[in-house]
Amino acid sequence: MIDETTARDAVVRAADELFYTRGVQAVGMDAVRTAAGVSLKRIYSLFASKDELIVAVLHHRTTIWDAGLATTSERATSARERILAIFDFLDAWFREPDFRGCAFINTHGELGATSSAVADAVREQKRTFQEYVARLVADVGAPAALAPQLAILAEGAQTTAAIAGTPEAAHQARAAAETLIDVAMTGRG
Amino acid sequence: MIDETTARDAVVRAADELFYTRGVQAVGMDAVRTAAGVSLKRIYSLFASKDELIVAVLHHRTTIWDAGLATTSERATSARERILAIFDFLDAWFREPDFRGCAFINTHGELGATSSAVADAVREQKRTFQEYVARLVADVGAPAALAPQLAILAEGAQTTAAIAGTPEAAHQARAAAETLIDVAMTGRG
DNA sequence: TACAGTAGAGAACGAACGTTCTCCGCGCAA
DNA sequence: TTGCGCGGAGAACGTTCGTTCTCTACTGTA
C-alpha cells in the first residue's frame, strides 16, 4: 500500500483537476476514486467527507497559486515590475487550454452559500492575495489605497477571461495597473 | 387558472431568488414549485427542463440588471458621471443584505463547464455590459481602450465584494475608474 | 501451513433529484 | 345533469450521489 501522504496527494490532485474542469458538484466520489487510483474506503479514511476534500483541494490550489506567483515575480527586477508581473502571470494562465477561471471564484459561486468552510477557504485565499499586493505596493512606495485597486483589476481580469474565453483581459488589466501605479507614484490620483 | 405569462413570470422570479440565494444545483424543482405556487406539471409545460428554466432566469436577471443600470445612469448629468454611476449602482447593490455576488459569474462558475446554454447566456450578458461601457466611453470622448479597463474594474468589484462580504470594493473601483478616465482624457495613459 | 489483520474493489444503501404519471376535482358544452 | 377535458397536488420512477459495508486477497508471523 502506498503511504498516507502519497495517497492523500493523489486524491487531492485528481479531485482538483476534476473539480476545476467540470465543477465540484458535477464530480462524484466515484470519479475521484477512479482518477486517483485510491479506493473509496481509503479516501474516506483520509477525508471525513466530500466537503473536507473540497477544502483540502482549495488549500492545494492556494499553494500552487502562491508558488506560481512567486516564480513569476522572481523574474522582475523592480518593485513596479513585480506588481506588473502579476498580470503577466495571469496572461500566461489565461492562455492555458484548460483555463476555466479562478477555482476559488468558481467554487465560491457554486458552494459559498451552502458551505461556510468553502466560503472561509476562499475568503482566506483572497485575503492572502490582497496582502501580497499590499506588500508590493508598500515596496514601490505608493499609497496603500492603490493595493485594493490592483487586486480588483486582477479579480476582474480572471472572471472576464473565464467568461469570454479569451486572454486579452490580462493585458487590459495590466495597462490599467500601469496607469494607476504611475498616477499613484506622482501624486496625481 | 392563471394565464401563461403570469405563471411563467412567477416561476422565473421564484427560481431566480432561490438559485441566487442557494446556488442552482442546491435548489430542487420541488422548491421552485412550492415558492412559485405553480405545479410541477405546469412548470414542465412552460419549460422543457431545468436547464431551460436556468437560461430563462439568466435572461430575467439581464433585464433587471439593465433596468437598474439605466435608472442609476438617469441621475447622472454628464457622460463622465454616467460612467461613474455604474460604480454607485454596484455600491448600492453590494449593501443589500442578500447580496451574494453576480448571478452570472456564480452560475458560470457552477454550470459553465457542463452547460453551453448557460455559458452562452452569461457570455452574452457580459458582452452587452461591455458594449454599454464602450458607448459611455465613446460619449465621454476617451479612447476605446478605456472601456475594457472599466469593465474589468466592475467585474472585479463584484467578485471581491461577494467573497469578502463587504461593499468597499465599489468605491475602490470607482476611485480607480476616476483615475483611468482622467488619464485617458488628458492623453497621459 | 495456519491465522489474524488490513486494504482494495465495488456492491449496497438511503437520500435527493429531475422528470413523469396518476388520481381527483372543477368548469363547461349539450 | 352528464360527460369531457384540463389542471393541480403530489406520488412514483429511475437515476445519481455520498457514504458504508461485504467479501476477497494478501501480508507478515509463528
Side-chain angles (χ1 to χ4, degrees):
Chain A
M1 183 192 78
I2 54 179
D3 72 290
E4 182 171 320
T5 308
T6 308
R8 212 186 141 87
D9 209 55
V11 172
V12 168
R13 280 173 195 274
D16 180 37
E17 181 169 334
L18 289 169
F19 291 170
Y20 182 65
T21 306
R22 305 192 212 158
V24 174
Q25 294 180 103
V27 174
M29 295 298 276
D30 263 19
V32 175
R33 181 251 301 264
T34 304
V38 175
S39 76
L40 277 179
K41 194 173 171 184
R42 194 87 197 277
I43 293 178
Y44 277 96
S45 81
L46 295 166
F47 306 93
S49 64
K50 189 182 183 182
D51 260 359
E52 207 167 275
L53 173 59
I54 296 167
V55 172
V57 165
L58 289 176
H59 286 143
H60 175 245
R61 276 262 152 181
T62 301
T63 309
I64 292 181
W65 168 271
D66 290 350
L69 215 49
T71 302
T72 306
S73 101
E74 271 170 21
R75 292 202 285 274
T77 55
S78 68
R80 185 176 186 278
E81 292 287 315
R82 212 148 37 239
I83 294 176
L84 294 175
I86 295 170
F87 299 94
D88 297 335
F89 172 62
L90 292 181
D91 185 70
W93 183 30
F94 295 172
R95 289 172 194 281
E96 287 178 17
D98 53 357
F99 170 72
R100 233 185 58 72
C102 171
F104 298 96
I105 295 171
N106 291 347
T107 308
H108 187 269
E110 188 172 351
L111 299 171
T114 45
S115 164
S116 59
V118 166
D120 289 348
V122 173
R123 189 159 32 241
E124 172 64 15
Q125 199 272 339
K126 294 302 181 192
R127 204 177 53 76
T128 303
F129 175 66
Q130 276 161 3
E131 284 170 7
Y132 173 73
V133 175
R135 223 171 310 127
L136 295 184
V137 164
D139 287 351
V140 84
L146 176 63
Q149 298 183 4
L150 298 175
I152 288 170
L153 281 174
E155 300 294 347
Q158 287 172 66
T159 63
T160 300
I163 291 174
T166 59
E168 72 257 8
H171 91 256
Q172 291 163 346
R174 190 195 149 111
E178 285 188 86
T179 303
L180 294 176
I181 296 169
D182 291 346
V183 170
M185 297 299 290
T186 58
R188 164 162 169 183
Chain B
M1 180 192 80
I2 56 179
D3 71 291
E4 181 171 321
T5 308
T6 309
R8 211 186 142 88
D9 208 56
V11 172
V12 169
R13 280 173 196 275
D16 180 37
E17 181 169 334
L18 289 168
F19 291 170
Y20 182 65
T21 307
R22 306 192 211 159
V24 174
Q25 292 180 103
V27 174
M29 294 298 277
D30 263 18
V32 174
R33 181 252 300 267
T34 303
V38 174
S39 75
L40 277 179
K41 194 174 170 182
R42 193 86 196 280
I43 292 177
Y44 277 96
S45 80
L46 295 166
F47 306 94
S49 65
K50 189 181 184 184
D51 259 0
E52 206 167 275
L53 172 59
I54 296 167
V55 172
V57 166
L58 290 176
H59 286 143
H60 175 244
R61 276 261 151 181
T62 301
T63 309
I64 292 180
W65 168 271
D66 290 349
L69 216 49
T71 302
T72 308
S73 103
E74 271 170 21
R75 291 201 286 273
T77 55
S78 69
R80 186 175 185 279
E81 292 286 315
R82 211 146 40 234
I83 294 177
L84 295 175
I86 294 170
F87 298 95
D88 296 335
F89 172 62
L90 292 181
D91 185 70
W93 183 32
F94 294 173
R95 290 173 194 281
E96 287 177 16
D98 54 356
F99 171 71
R100 233 186 57 71
C102 171
F104 298 96
I105 295 171
N106 292 348
T107 308
H108 187 271
E110 187 172 353
L111 299 171
T114 45
S115 165
S116 59
V118 167
D120 290 347
V122 173
R123 188 158 34 239
E124 173 64 16
Q125 198 272 340
K126 293 303 180 191
R127 204 177 53 78
T128 302
F129 175 66
Q130 277 161 3
E131 283 170 8
Y132 173 74
V133 176
R135 223 171 310 127
L136 295 184
V137 165
D139 287 352
V140 85
L146 176 62
Q149 299 183 5
L150 298 175
I152 288 170
L153 280 174
E155 300 295 346
Q158 288 172 66
T159 63
T160 300
I163 292 174
T166 59
E168 72 257 8
H171 91 254
Q172 291 163 345
R174 189 195 150 110
E178 286 189 85
T179 304
L180 293 176
I181 295 169
D182 291 346
V183 170
M185 298 298 291
T186 58
R188 165 162 165 180

